[in-house]
Amino acid sequence: MAETRRPLEGIRVLDLTVALAGPYCTLLLAGLGAEVIKIEAPTGGDIARFNPPFYGKDGIHLGALADGDVSLSILARARAKKSLSLDLKSERGLEIFKDLVKQSDLVVENLSDGTVERLGVDYDSLKGINPRLIYCSITGMGRPSPYPGLKVMDIAVQALSGVMDTTGDKDGPPTRLGLPMADLLAPLYGMMGIQSALIQRGVTGQGQHVMVSMMDCLSSLLPFEHFDVLQRMGFPARTGNHQTRLAPFGVFETADGHVSIAAANDKWAGLIFEAMGQPELIRDPRYATRGPRAVNADDVNGRIEAWTRTLTTDAVIEALSTQRGVPCVKVRTALEAMADPALRESGAIVPLVHPDVGEIDAVGAGIPIRMSAATVGLDKPAPKLGADNAEVLGLLGLGADEIENLKSSGVI
């Protein structure tokens, strides 16, 4: 049987990304089979290489970076990529980069405003070298930014996007999401843009500039909950662990933990009231249909939680999900979820691998995509800085002596 190809096999990517948003995009490209060449400054590389915790001879620790230590951030974000150390500020380094552009399909960057222009590696400077080039920019606020000079971080995007205002308890403060959602969402949109551009290039033969911003991507999700309309109707933006307009729909405390209940229709609400021993509630006009339940959500949720608190998590799940088919599951801890054998088996969560010592006691994200006629995955550990210099520069016909001269002069 012939070996199954990877869907993006044969696509070469020059990776000018740092931190999280950009590297996650190129991680996905690598997992789908693209050849990703991560270009880093010879003087230290991606800033994520200095993120604690580190893994080294003393195991995982939060101390200062020492010889042999590798940041877990890099072990997670640089898997299946090649590392080329290259000083783009030098004339020879820029020349090498442009020679690589001639042989590449994609450039992906998420550098701070003005950086690619100063370096001469922006789309306008490169499209003439390779008209088929697809160039993806992942920015914080877009270019030009409406907030000049702002150093954009995920928490700033959550704050400015309005998403933080929707998270937390009604009478509590705006709350940061537990995951860096802006950092993780923008690269997903970037991937959609890149793959659409690849398809279009197959028709027109021309590349293009794909642009996404963390702000645009995160903010675009707000209208899905119609916060503007609901707030005009008197509903608060923040509803804590409950979705008011779908009540009963949320997280409920049990005697030994919490359950998530999603009973958004009248049938399921009636079945909950039946399990509570109060079937007559479904005939009460305050609770009989979705609209009145939304208006009286605090009362509905309070009644249900008074019941769930008297039972164990397993007992609530048995009464609702097993016996009555009402969507109800345990709220797992992050550690419980990451240890789930099903997620390990599917490859959604995979062990991290240190380039020197092999598999370590830490996990990273896999590629949660399954394809019937292609394989995906991140089966190579993150490289050390410059580990692939000889291989990548060999694409340009550079020999060992010239590569050594580039190293001695600080270009690589």
Side-chain angles (χ1 to χ4, degrees), residues 153-176:
M153 305 293 285
D154 178 271
I155 193 170
V157 178
Q158 288 193 33
L160 288 169
S161 69
V163 167
M164 197 180 289
D165 181 51
T166 72
T167 308
D169 292 326
K170 177 172 61 176
D171 299 322
T175 302
R176 182 186 69 87

Side-chain angles (χ1 to χ4, degrees), residues 1-5 371-375:
M1 182 177 178
E3 183 179 353
T4 306
R5 285 176 58 88
M371 306 180 72
S372 64
T375 59

Side-chain angles (χ1 to χ4, degrees), residues 293-312:
R293 284 199 301 274
V295 174
N296 295 285
D298 289 346
D299 187 33
V300 173
N301 294 330
R303 287 174 178 270
I304 294 173
E305 192 158 69
W307 170 69
T308 60
R309 283 176 173 167
T310 68
L311 302 173
T312 65

Side-chain angles (χ1 to χ4, degrees), residues 61-84:
H61 65 89
L62 293 169
L65 184 65
D67 288 345
D69 284 356
V70 182
S71 167
L72 294 191
S73 296
I74 283 294
L75 291 181
R77 302 171 194 175
R79 288 169 290 166
K81 302 178 185 180
K82 297 175 181 177
S83 175
L84 170 66

Side-chain angles (χ1 to χ4, degrees), residues 11-270:
I11 299 295
R12 178 173 292 150
V13 183
L14 301 182
D15 180 357
L16 296 177
T17 68
V18 296
L20 177 53
Y24 184 43
C25 181
T26 53
L27 182 76
L28 294 171
L29 289 166
L32 291 169
E35 178 191 14
V36 176
I37 301 171
K38 184 173 176 62
I39 297 173
E40 305 178 71
T43 51
D46 189 335
I47 56 175
R49 289 188 180 274
F50 304 94
N51 286 351
F54 305 104
Y55 186 91
K57 65 182 186 322
D58 298 321
I60 297 173
H61 65 89
L62 293 169
L65 184 65
D67 288 345
D69 284 356
V70 182
S71 167
L72 294 191
S73 296
I74 283 294
L75 291 181
R77 302 171 194 175
R79 288 169 290 166
K81 302 178 185 180
K82 297 175 181 177
S83 175
L84 170 66
S85 59
L86 186 65
D87 181 9
L88 293 175
K89 295 178 181 178
S90 70
E91 182 178 347
R92 181 61 176 136
L94 181 58
E95 182 181 288
I96 288 171
F97 177 78
K98 290 183 175 180
D99 285 342
L100 287 171
V101 166
K102 297 173 185 177
Q103 301 185 27
S104 299
D105 299 278
L106 302 173
V107 171
V108 183
E109 63 89 11
N110 70 324
L111 302 178
S112 58
D113 289 354
T115 300
V116 291
E117 289 82 7
R118 286 195 299 273
L119 292 173
V121 296
D122 54 296
Y123 178 63
D124 287 340
S125 298
L126 301 180
K127 63 182 180 181
I129 298 173
N130 179 358
R132 290 176 55 83
L133 182 71
I134 294 167
Y135 188 107
C136 179
S137 296
I138 300 173
T139 67
M141 298 290 174
R143 290 184 185 146
S145 170
Y147 302 94
L150 177 65
K151 301 299 183 183
V152 180
M153 305 293 285
D154 178 271
I155 193 170
V157 178
Q158 288 193 33
L160 288 169
S161 69
V163 167
M164 197 180 289
D165 181 51
T166 72
T167 308
D169 292 326
K170 177 172 61 176
D171 299 322
T175 302
R176 182 186 69 87
L177 298 172
L179 289 171
M181 289 305 300
D183 268 323
L184 298 173
L185 184 65
L188 296 178
Y189 278 97
M191 279 287 293
M192 284 189 275
I194 287 169
Q195 297 196 66
S196 298
L198 284 170
I199 293 170
Q200 186 174 351
R201 188 181 73 176
V203 177
T204 66
Q206 296 295 308
Q208 62 185 294
H209 193 180
V210 176
M211 294 159 279
V212 298
S213 79
M214 293 161 63
M215 182 70 165
D216 286 348
C217 293
L218 194 59
S219 299
S220 72
L221 302 185
L222 283 175
F224 281 97
E225 284 301 328
H226 307 294
F227 288 106
D228 52 345
V229 173
L230 289 171
Q231 287 191 63
R232 288 201 300 269
M233 296 175 67
F235 289 88
R238 291 191 295 281
T239 56
N241 278 332
H242 297 277
Q243 174 52 279
T244 300
R245 68 179 178 84
L246 300 177
F249 192 105
V251 176
F252 297 83
E253 185 180 358
T254 68
D256 60 354
H258 294 83
V259 292
S260 168
I261 299 173
N265 62 46
D266 299 343
K267 176 184 176 182
W268 286 337

